[in-house]
Amino acid sequence: MDDERYGWLSKFRSLRGLWRDVAQTIGSSLGVASRLDGDLPPNDAELLREEMRQCLQARGGEMSARGRAAHLGQAYLDLTATGRRNFLRLLAEDFDSDPNEVDQAMREVGAATDRPARLRAERRLKQSLESPRVRLLTQFTTLPDGVKFLVDLRAELVALAKTDPTLAGLADELRALLAGWFDVGFLELQRMTWRSPALLLEKIIAYEAVHAIQGWPDLKNRLDSDRRLYAFFHPRMPDEPLIFIEVALTRGLSDNIQRVLDEQAPVEDAGRADTAIFYSINNAQRGLDGISFGNFLIKKVVDDLSHEFPNLKTFATLSPVPGLRAWAERHGLIGELDSADDLQLTRLTARYLTEISPERGRVRDPVAHFHLSNGARLERINLRADTSARGQLLSAGVMVNYLYKLSDIEANHEAYSGLGRVAMASPIKALLKG
Amino acid sequence: MDDERYGWLSKFRSLRGLWRDVAQTIGSSLGVASRLDGDLPPNDAELLREEMRQCLQARGGEMSARGRAAHLGQAYLDLTATGRRNFLRLLAEDFDSDPNEVDQAMREVGAATDRPARLRAERRLKQSLESPRVRLLTQFTTLPDGVKFLVDLRAELVALAKTDPTLAGLADELRALLAGWFDVGFLELQRMTWRSPALLLEKIIAYEAVHAIQGWPDLKNRLDSDRRLYAFFHPRMPDEPLIFIEVALTRGLSDNIQRVLDEQAPVEDAGRADTAIFYSINNAQRGLDGISFGNFLIKKVVDDLSHEFPNLKTFATLSPVPGLRAWAERHGLIGELDSADDLQLTRLTARYLTEISPERGRVRDPVAHFHLSNGARLERINLRADTSARGQLLSAGVMVNYLYKLSDIEANHEAYSGLGRVAMASPIKALLKG
Amino acid sequence: MDDERYGWLSKFRSLRGLWRDVAQTIGSSLGVASRLDGDLPPNDAELLREEMRQCLQARGGEMSARGRAAHLGQAYLDLTATGRRNFLRLLAEDFDSDPNEVDQAMREVGAATDRPARLRAERRLKQSLESPRVRLLTQFTTLPDGVKFLVDLRAELVALAKTDPTLAGLADELRALLAGWFDVGFLELQRMTWRSPALLLEKIIAYEAVHAIQGWPDLKNRLDSDRRLYAFFHPRMPDEPLIFIEVALTRGLSDNIQRVLDEQAPVEDAGRADTAIFYSINNAQRGLDGISFGNFLIKKVVDDLSHEFPNLKTFATLSPVPGLRAWAERHGLIGELDSADDLQLTRLTARYLTEISPERGRVRDPVAHFHLSNGARLERINLRADTSARGQLLSAGVMVNYLYKLSDIEANHEAYSGLGRVAMASPIKALLKG
Amino acid sequence: MDDERYGWLSKFRSLRGLWRDVAQTIGSSLGVASRLDGDLPPNDAELLREEMRQCLQARGGEMSARGRAAHLGQAYLDLTATGRRNFLRLLAEDFDSDPNEVDQAMREVGAATDRPARLRAERRLKQSLESPRVRLLTQFTTLPDGVKFLVDLRAELVALAKTDPTLAGLADELRALLAGWFDVGFLELQRMTWRSPALLLEKIIAYEAVHAIQGWPDLKNRLDSDRRLYAFFHPRMPDEPLIFIEVALTRGLSDNIQRVLDEQAPVEDAGRADTAIFYSINNAQRGLDGISFGNFLIKKVVDDLSHEFPNLKTFATLSPVPGLRAWAERHGLIGELDSADDLQLTRLTARYLTEISPERGRVRDPVAHFHLSNGARLERINLRADTSARGQLLSAGVMVNYLYKLSDIEANHEAYSGLGRVAMASPIKALLKG
């Protein structure tokens, strides 16, 4: 089901054909992959190892190496789940850096007697630590959809690495590789509208996980003149949003998500809005987990909106409190939670959102942690704000506004990240003291 | 003069203003840079060091760090040549990796008793070798023209590093950083035409170094319907060609560059051409020296042209022989060269182009080495092919066709790179034996 | 309901606001329109007449005239159905050409004694026949969506003119005006794909009237790699398809529309198709009724497809026979129709499709007439080809292939248009003789 | 020379090949044109007449008619100057409306006894006056560059019609046809920058006739950040500017054109400018003479600039006074002009610019008439404002500022167009009284 959500298998089925063409165009002598057993038993793994080796040696030139890479990618896509694990293990184990070379390079560093010699030795040491497997993966960039292939590959790899420590190093290196490519400086902010390609809008529908989109009319409503939807894209993955954020232009802070999403509600005059409410933010690529864009996205969008609507005074979220009930359960407060009156529920939520966990040195709620790290302030706690079954289940219907005030962001961030101090509006402060 | 050619100083002068705005937009507390003395004496260097430190610590959040980077970039641009050298030294020396950390990490690798422990220790060792200065440079990606800034910075750095070994490590790391970003998989092939932006065509005129473009009419002639000009671009440097290649569509192999460039010559019917002559290939960014695209560019262009003109049968270059006279001089053959008859001159050239230098394990002529490495074949030696003063001076007017035959490229490459065997047409082979 | 289908009212509601802004920007002294009663009683009509007069005189310059036009358009949109009829009558009657001027000009033509004098007089006569109301309508072109306004206005006008002869002349002139603007030479052929703006795809769904589109998945299926959908657009109405055609790439002639539309059917390899089936063609703008593009659209698409898929050998339609049952009823053949065996039904259909009606000098079926006029040939009659309720009702499930063979189109067209001879495949000819 | 300036012949030479392809693609039976003698003697004219007739009858369908049109166009392009005149005469004389039909239609109008009958008869009369030759010309719209062909054809036609009255009617009709297509509502305003296609910029250089552009550096200077250049384009002639205007953003009114054009002058900060100076406006298509866009262009540009630069307070021209010396000569004031002191010269210029010519009912200077008709005001007379030889020759170095003040434009226009009253600044008024 997850696979389906990410279009993983279906996409790959068509990639397979595409890459077969690429491989055939470029190289003539390649043919191993098509004869592999889907589970990749040892003998077949041996064939694959040889092809990987040739790809790395760039036999026949760099262009041929890219042809071989297409071939290897195609082989990967044809494998079963078992076969893919074997493929990844092969890559991880047989194409890691060479311990003997590393040892030798470390000895040279140790033996260096002056600074220039030390620097030269360190450079060699660094090279010895660069694994061939990463060079192999880099070859995929020239293939059509090759970057998306690697992103999706990482999603699979990370899942497998949880139970298979031999894959951890490779997962780590792939993360570093992707983090370099997906540096926020290389991303493009695009506004999605009803004029955007259906191809992209279809993915927005599929990827929205915070407040599911019920279909095209629901999406159209979220793109109306009093709404905005922005996404980050990478130039080499132009058909795939990386992360996106949904905004409602309102008068005053929103305190109820159903009202925000109501398709029947009249369209507001955006020019007269004084507040921008960020009501949903979604990471769309599981393969980029742990590479963070959200902070930049919010600030770029604040900047963009400020220019388009000079009347906007307030930038804030309407955010879920996903961990509230689970936390109450863990701390034996669940009875208290379910029987709480409004004041008690507000106070309980405030406590949950602002207490620093001694083990992790941060607040417990992941959404709160994200916004507080970004320099936002806990502004208001709204009861009966999410009346959906899910909202009731996870957080007793409570939602929260986090406020992004440009002039305070730096100080808030420093206070939270450096000192563990949570920025919050004075009523909440008072409530916690009371 | 070189600076001018690359638009270095003038570009930077306008960047300075742009970045000042960026720095002001993002952060309020920055202001050190504007008070620095242009030569960056020690006291001022201390101020800068502090700012670099804060940028690396991301005080105030990642967004502020980018603001500080803009500030540092602006500071750099305001410095004199002396100031810039001091800036780069400061960066190279004070923000290198920490030797104590490296030593400690090496000890841990040595102490590891099983494979998982070893892998963990190697990962820490690798991290300890990653210098803060590279993280600092990466911050520039989000700035307008930040990538171009780094490319040009590398051009300066490489020049300085030749006489200043303390800069070698930084130069090396910047090269690796750029090599990752400018992987050929991230580049876009664009055909330049008379419909292209004047802004880009102006740069083609400025950057063409093999056969200088005499002005706009000369350029227009090179973009006519029987010509092609392709360039590689990076998505984050859309106004800067990285490398470009010029092609003439002809009947048969061209043997004279003046005829190719003649603006008065009638335009040929490209649909009836059987040969594509690559008559000029230029690397446009000195800051990307050593990061190679030429091989891919030629092959992509061959591919593109094959689709557009199914009648094309032959893909070849009309190339200079830049080192011929210098080689003849070094080997006491200069008298022979100047008095040679046609046969002797052809044979001398053939010898020069095909002999493997024992010291370097490759042919001596850099152009020949480039094409032979790509898998091309030495096809024909043309006398009186470049009658310009420069052509006479460097190579006695000789030019050469290298042939790109797709089916032989892999084998040719392997033979040359692996065994030092030069692919050549049989008449040349016969000549050398004779 | 029709209004809704064409987005008429809702679109106009937003236009109203837009044009109010335009009117205010351009002119200051305009204000009549906002005080009109919705039904436009005589007194208000008088106010409007004065404004129209000033608009025509271009008081304050041409730019002001355009501002007044915006004002008049806004007034029109604010009126009720009664008010709009009054508006149009006012325009038709009070701003027609002046009979006295026409009479005077005719006298001058009659009095001309030599050819130059006659030519001069004819030019004045022509001018006297040009009505001010058309000049007024032309003013709308500069307004945002002004052309679409006029197209939709004509739809209303034509409907009213059926029962109101005073509007016939205006309707006629508006037709001529639009026919000039929408000359096929000014239109752009666009292929619609899943990458097209959702805004446009939504209109394709709304406007498809031959085989209704059931929703976005149905549309996506019709845009798959073995399908094509092309539309004509006008540069000044970029958000509105004028006419569109849907194509399936198949092997052999399709004989069943349900199979063509089946979303579960596997996607074919378009490169191996030998036949392009045009299975739906829709005029999207009622206001352009009687201005014909279909002929050009089909031929441009044939041209486009021939280049993209050199393997295509056959271009044909899969067309409904919408008038079959009605014709059978009118001619007392309905009993025969309902009890017919396959052969009889085929023969009856062939007769219906090929007999020239003596009154109209053409075949009776409108779809047949359209394709035969275009030079197509009646190729095959398919029974049980449309099993939908509508297909059964209108044509007993029969559908037809018309064949577009480029080399025969001219001759077929001449034979049909000039001589009333219907081109048909020999089996059908044989059947009719039998 | 004029031909060269408008690219007329060279463009047509390539069109010829293009249209030959079109003609061949569409129709098979066409072949007359290629055998015509260049001067088009009577026998050949007869062949052409037959082809025109068939084109009008749309033998073989509308698509074939367009093929024939391509053929006719190609024939025209192959003719000599003599042949073209014969071609145009043939078209004008043999394909004019039919006098007998006109007479018959006039009789029917006369005989009509009630209003509906009269209206029907008038419609037929109008149709009888529509000449076949215009329908023929309309066919060219679908051809590549067909609209440009007609525009250039009109330039030739107008020149010939001056001495050949038989061409006047055709010239008139072509004007009306083009005026409909080139209605300002169908035009697109584009800003030209250094990023614009070289193809378009080259034409700007060629078409600038007020202050000739000296080459690419001069053009680049006119596109700098403190300058603007806007042009109108038609969607079917995207490679041809119709009219363009050049603007300098300054502080205060400019009083000297050489300073405006000085490439060495420092670039101003456009954001701080308070004045926009329109210093050159050029009609680029001779074939569109008499179809006016300038008024709309200026007002659209004022609108555009007001949004981009809210600090702009004044919009004015720096205009030549092209008829000053000629007027002085005609009125025996030339001695006075050449010996005038500053005050006298200013007063003489003021008189020339503001006196209404009794014969023509307008001021004599064409530039003054253009701006005054647009509603501008004569603001200031600048001596020694154009020190070029041409400026001295035509207007003794005098230039003028016309002021465009939005709130006065309507009243100024009305006063000038209606009453012959010239709007001017009070110092000029005082001067004229003095």
Side-chain angles (χ1 to χ4, degrees), chain C residues 25-29 57-64 66 68 92-93 96-100 102-103 105-107 109-110 115-116 118-119 122-123 125-127 129-131 133 138-139 141-143 147 165-166 168-169 172-173 180-181 183-188 234-236 292 295-296 299-300 303 373 409-411 413-414, chain D residues 25-29 57-64 66 68 92-93 96-100 102-103 105-107 109-110 115-116 118-119 122-123 125-127 129-131 133 138-139 141-143 147 165-166 168-169 172-173 180-181 183-188 234-236 292 295-296 299-300 303 373 409-411 413-414:
Chain C
T25 308
I26 297 175
S28 47
S29 57
Q57 291 165 359
R59 291 289 298 274
E62 282 183 74
M63 201 77 175
S64 297
R66 304 269 167 163
R68 275 179 224 275
E93 292 182 350
D96 197 356
S97 53
D98 181 339
N100 297 328
V102 173
D103 288 343
M106 289 199 301
R107 277 192 296 274
V109 171
R115 187 153 164 72
R118 164 94 188 194
L119 289 177
E122 280 190 1
R123 278 155 73 180
L125 175 57
K126 208 189 289 183
Q127 280 161 14
L129 287 162
E130 270 162 26
S131 71
R133 60 197 181 195
T138 305
Q139 304 277 10
T141 53
T142 23
L143 301 176
V147 173
T166 60
D172 220 50
E173 288 172 359
W181 294 346
D183 181 276
V184 71
F186 294 130
L187 307 187
E188 286 157 12
H234 188 273
R236 285 285 294 166
S292 147
N295 181 6
F296 284 95
K299 284 164 195 170
K300 279 215 166 191
D303 200 48
S373 300
I409 278 182
E410 279 194 37
H413 165 84
E414 281 303 299
Chain D
T25 307
I26 298 176
S28 48
S29 57
Q57 291 166 358
R59 290 288 297 275
E62 283 184 72
M63 201 78 177
S64 296
R66 306 268 166 165
R68 277 179 221 274
E93 293 182 349
D96 198 357
S97 52
D98 181 338
N100 297 329
V102 173
D103 288 343
M106 289 200 301
R107 278 192 296 275
V109 171
R115 188 156 162 70
R118 164 95 187 192
L119 290 176
E122 280 190 2
R123 278 154 75 182
L125 175 57
K126 208 189 289 181
Q127 280 162 15
L129 287 160
E130 269 162 27
S131 70
R133 60 199 181 195
T138 306
Q139 304 278 13
T141 54
T142 23
L143 300 177
V147 173
T166 59
D172 220 50
E173 288 173 358
W181 293 345
D183 181 276
V184 72
F186 294 128
L187 306 187
E188 287 156 12
H234 189 274
R236 286 285 294 166
S292 146
N295 181 7
F296 283 95
K299 283 163 195 169
K300 278 216 166 191
D303 200 48
S373 300
I409 278 182
E410 279 194 36
H413 165 85
E414 280 304 300

Side-chain angles (χ1 to χ4, degrees), chain A residues 71-375:
Chain A
H71 208 59
L72 290 168
Q74 180 198 339
Y76 181 81
L77 298 171
D78 280 335
L79 295 175
T80 63
T82 303
R84 288 183 180 189
R85 197 179 53 231
N86 289 338
F87 181 109
L88 292 171
R89 271 191 193 151
L90 172 66
L91 193 60
E93 293 182 349
D94 291 21
F95 296 90
D96 197 356
S97 53
D98 180 340
N100 298 329
E101 278 183 34
V102 173
D103 288 343
Q104 170 63 22
M106 289 201 301
R107 276 192 297 273
E108 285 174 27
V109 172
T113 50
D114 60 8
R115 188 156 162 69
R118 164 95 188 191
L119 290 177
R120 275 196 305 276
E122 280 189 2
R123 279 155 73 182
R124 272 194 301 273
L125 174 57
K126 210 190 286 182
Q127 281 161 12
S128 76
L129 286 162
E130 270 162 28
S131 71
R133 61 198 180 194
V134 163
R135 279 194 292 122
L136 193 78
L137 293 178
T138 305
Q139 304 278 11
F140 282 89
T141 53
T142 24
L143 301 176
D145 283 318
V147 173
K148 173 68 175 159
F149 172 82
L150 290 178
V151 168
D152 288 346
L153 185 78
R154 180 170 173 250
E156 284 206 346
L157 186 60
V158 166
L160 292 170
K162 280 176 191 160
T163 57
D164 187 344
T166 58
L167 298 175
L170 178 57
D172 220 51
E173 287 172 359
L174 186 50
R175 193 206 157 283
L177 190 68
L178 294 177
W181 294 346
F182 286 85
D183 181 276
V184 73
F186 295 130
L187 306 187
E188 287 157 11
L189 185 69
Q190 282 181 32
R191 192 183 148 202
M192 302 279 96
T193 73
W194 194 236
R195 286 181 187 276
S196 297
L199 176 83
L200 292 182
L201 296 182
E202 184 187 34
K203 290 186 181 166
I204 297 290
I205 295 177
Y207 294 165
E208 160 67 86
V210 181
H211 303 294
I213 300 178
Q214 306 301 327
W216 291 86
D218 184 1
L219 175 65
K220 192 178 176 186
N221 182 51
R222 299 188 194 200
L223 301 173
D224 216 326
S225 62
D226 60 345
R227 299 298 164 94
R228 288 294 180 276
L229 196 160
Y230 293 89
F232 265 145
F233 286 85
H234 189 273
R236 285 285 295 167
M237 262 174 64
D239 292 344
E240 288 287 338
L242 307 182
I243 185 174
F244 57 95
I245 191 167
E246 297 164 58
V247 190
L249 302 168
T250 65
R251 296 183 68 80
L253 284 183
S254 297
D255 61 2
N256 181 289
I257 189 66
Q258 276 75 32
R259 269 203 293 282
V260 169
L261 297 179
D262 181 5
E263 294 175 38
Q264 308 308 322
V267 176
E268 303 289 331
D269 179 350
R272 293 175 51 207
D274 57 12
T275 305
I277 296 291
F278 304 120
Y279 65 90
S280 183
I281 180 162
N282 288 273
N283 287 297
Q285 305 293 327
R286 183 168 307 169
L288 296 176
D289 279 358
I291 302 172
S292 147
F293 321 112
N295 180 9
F296 283 95
L297 178 61
I298 291 176
K299 283 162 194 170
K300 278 215 166 191
V301 166
V302 166
D303 199 50
D304 209 274
L305 290 171
S306 305
H307 281 92
E308 190 180 354
F309 301 106
N311 291 337
L312 287 179
K313 301 282 171 279
T314 307
F315 297 88
T317 72
L318 180 59
S319 301
V321 190
L324 179 59
R325 179 175 297 274
W327 167 78
E329 272 176 4
R330 269 199 315 278
H331 290 72
L333 298 166
I334 193 69
E336 199 172 318
L337 181 76
D338 285 334
S339 64
D341 64 16
D342 283 5
L343 182 63
Q344 288 166 327
L345 181 53
T346 308
R347 188 178 286 142
L348 208 61
T349 305
R351 205 185 121 197
Y352 164 62
L353 290 173
T354 59
E355 272 185 13
I356 301 291
S357 144
E359 309 88 49
R360 311 182 56 194
R362 35 168 280 194
V363 298
R364 290 177 176 94
D365 190 77
V367 174
H369 174 65
F370 171 73
H371 291 299
L372 295 171
S373 299
N374 291 346

